[in-house]
Amino acid sequence: MTRLSRKTLILIPAYNEESNIATVLNNIRRECGNVDILVINDGSHDRTAQVAKNAGATVVSHIYNMGYGVSLQTGYKYAVEHDYEFIIQIDADGQHDVCNIGTIYKELSDPYKHYDIVIGSRFLADDNEMKVGFAKRIAISFFNMAIRLVTHKHFTDPTSGLQGLSRRAFTAYSLYGNFDTNYPDANIITKMLLNGYKLKEVPAVMHIRKSGKSMHSGLMNNIRYMFTVTLNIVVVVMQFHIIKKGRKDIADSDVSV
């Protein structure tokens, strides 16, 4: 069994996951015991909220579907308000094996490493059950290249939603304008690296979705996703350099005075 500190929150965004959420929650309990679990029910049309409550999770419900990113940010705000130290976020569809929680928590809580974000990578694990489609693999490879070009850091799976966050990281995400609630993906990793946050990848065991539908399914969704995240990476880099130049100009003017 994985032992987590009492200041750790498991965060699960969920939309129409009635058929998967109970299994995910029960598996977390078996793996982690009486850990705090928050399910953000993102305006589901099925019994996701009730099933999650019956399984012992705390549930916060949006009155309508607001999207994955908004659900995450709702969880970050909740964690700040309730004084948590760590968040480990996993998907509600069962693709993220609960054994990954311990791996992520070990790195995140290490007092000598001070990681802000720990990302679970499906590409670092051996014999992973979960396979990536051709279109998604192209997008991931492109984002890897973009992140390396901009930050000189290498990440194998920058699109992974399986992450652990320190209080410093999720507090930053909770603030208005700091987190892209439309596509929080490789663009956010780029932003955090540019701003001096410490990130690491660890191997992650992932499974094939048993039921339901991925938000990235379909060719047009993948094209839209890749285009939007790429554009947002460009915006992140531009904003960083504009702010950096502004700070330099202010510092230079102070010196001249």
Side-chain angles (χ1 to χ4, degrees):
M1 178 179 288
T2 299
R3 295 188 179 277
L4 309 179
S5 78
R6 294 175 59 189
K7 289 294 186 178
T8 302
L9 178 68
I10 307 294
L11 172 60
I12 308 176
Y15 176 62
N16 291 342
E17 294 289 357
E18 175 186 352
S19 59
N20 297 312
I21 192 69
T23 299
V24 171
L25 294 173
N26 290 335
N27 287 343
I28 292 173
R29 293 294 184 203
R30 280 195 292 270
E31 178 70 20
C32 304
N34 194 32
V35 64
D36 290 354
I37 305 173
L38 175 67
V39 173
I40 305 298
N41 171 43
D42 190 26
S44 298
H45 303 301
D46 62 6
R47 296 179 61 254
T48 294
Q50 189 58 53
V51 172
K53 288 178 183 177
N54 291 346
T58 299
V59 178
V60 173
S61 292
H62 293 157
I63 59 174
Y64 59 91
N65 181 238
M66 302 178 72
Y68 178 72
V70 176
S71 296
L72 286 176
Q73 193 172 57
T74 298
Y76 302 148
K77 292 177 180 178
Y78 178 96
V80 170
E81 292 172 0
H82 291 80
D83 199 30
Y84 284 98
E85 186 177 1
F86 304 112
I87 284 178
I88 298 177
Q89 62 187 48
I90 71 173
D91 288 350
D93 56 15
Q95 292 190 90
H96 299 157
D97 196 293
V98 296
C99 71
N100 298 311
I101 294 174
T103 304
I104 291 174
Y105 178 76
K106 181 179 178 181
E107 293 294 333
L108 191 63
S109 62
D110 190 311
Y112 301 103
K113 295 180 179 178
H114 304 291
Y115 289 117
D116 295 298
I117 303 171
V118 179
I119 302 169
S121 170
R122 74 201 90 184
F123 301 113
L124 294 179
D126 296 329
D127 300 323
N128 229 324
E129 176 186 321
M130 184 180 180
K131 305 302 179 183
V132 180
F134 178 71
K136 184 68 179 288
R137 188 173 288 275
I138 290 176
I140 291 172
S141 297
F142 179 79
F143 296 149
N144 291 343
M145 181 181 67
I147 291 173
R148 185 182 296 184
L149 179 66
V150 172
T151 70
H152 308 294
K153 303 290 185 180
H154 175 63
F155 286 85
T156 64
D157 200 357
T159 68
S160 174
L162 176 64
Q163 298 186 15
L165 309 172
S166 70
R167 183 171 178 84
R168 178 174 180 243
F170 68 72
T171 298
Y173 284 167
S174 71
L175 301 176
Y176 179 78
N178 279 4
F179 188 72
D180 184 351
T181 54
N182 292 316
Y183 283 104
D185 221 308
N187 50 325
I188 297 295
I189 290 177
T190 303
K191 181 176 183 176
M192 298 303 273
L193 287 168
L194 288 174
N195 284 281
Y197 288 80
K198 191 174 180 182
L199 284 72
K200 180 180 181 177
E201 279 189 314
V202 295
V205 177
M206 298 192 186
H207 304 290
I208 298 170
R209 172 189 274 271
K210 301 300 182 183
S211 62
K213 184 178 180 181
S214 169
M215 66 178 179
H216 294 311
S217 60
L219 178 61
M220 289 308 299
N221 281 340
N222 273 293
I223 292 173
R224 187 183 303 110
Y225 158 73
M226 187 171 177
F227 174 79
T228 304
V229 175
T230 301
L231 179 61
N232 288 344
I233 290 175
V234 173
V235 171
V236 162
V237 174
M238 290 177 63
Q239 287 177 337
F240 173 76
H241 286 293
I242 289 171
I243 293 171
K244 185 178 179 181
K245 184 178 184 303
R247 289 172 178 169
K248 183 178 183 299
D249 290 345
I250 291 172
D252 290 345
S253 63
D254 288 342
V255 170
S256 63
V257 170

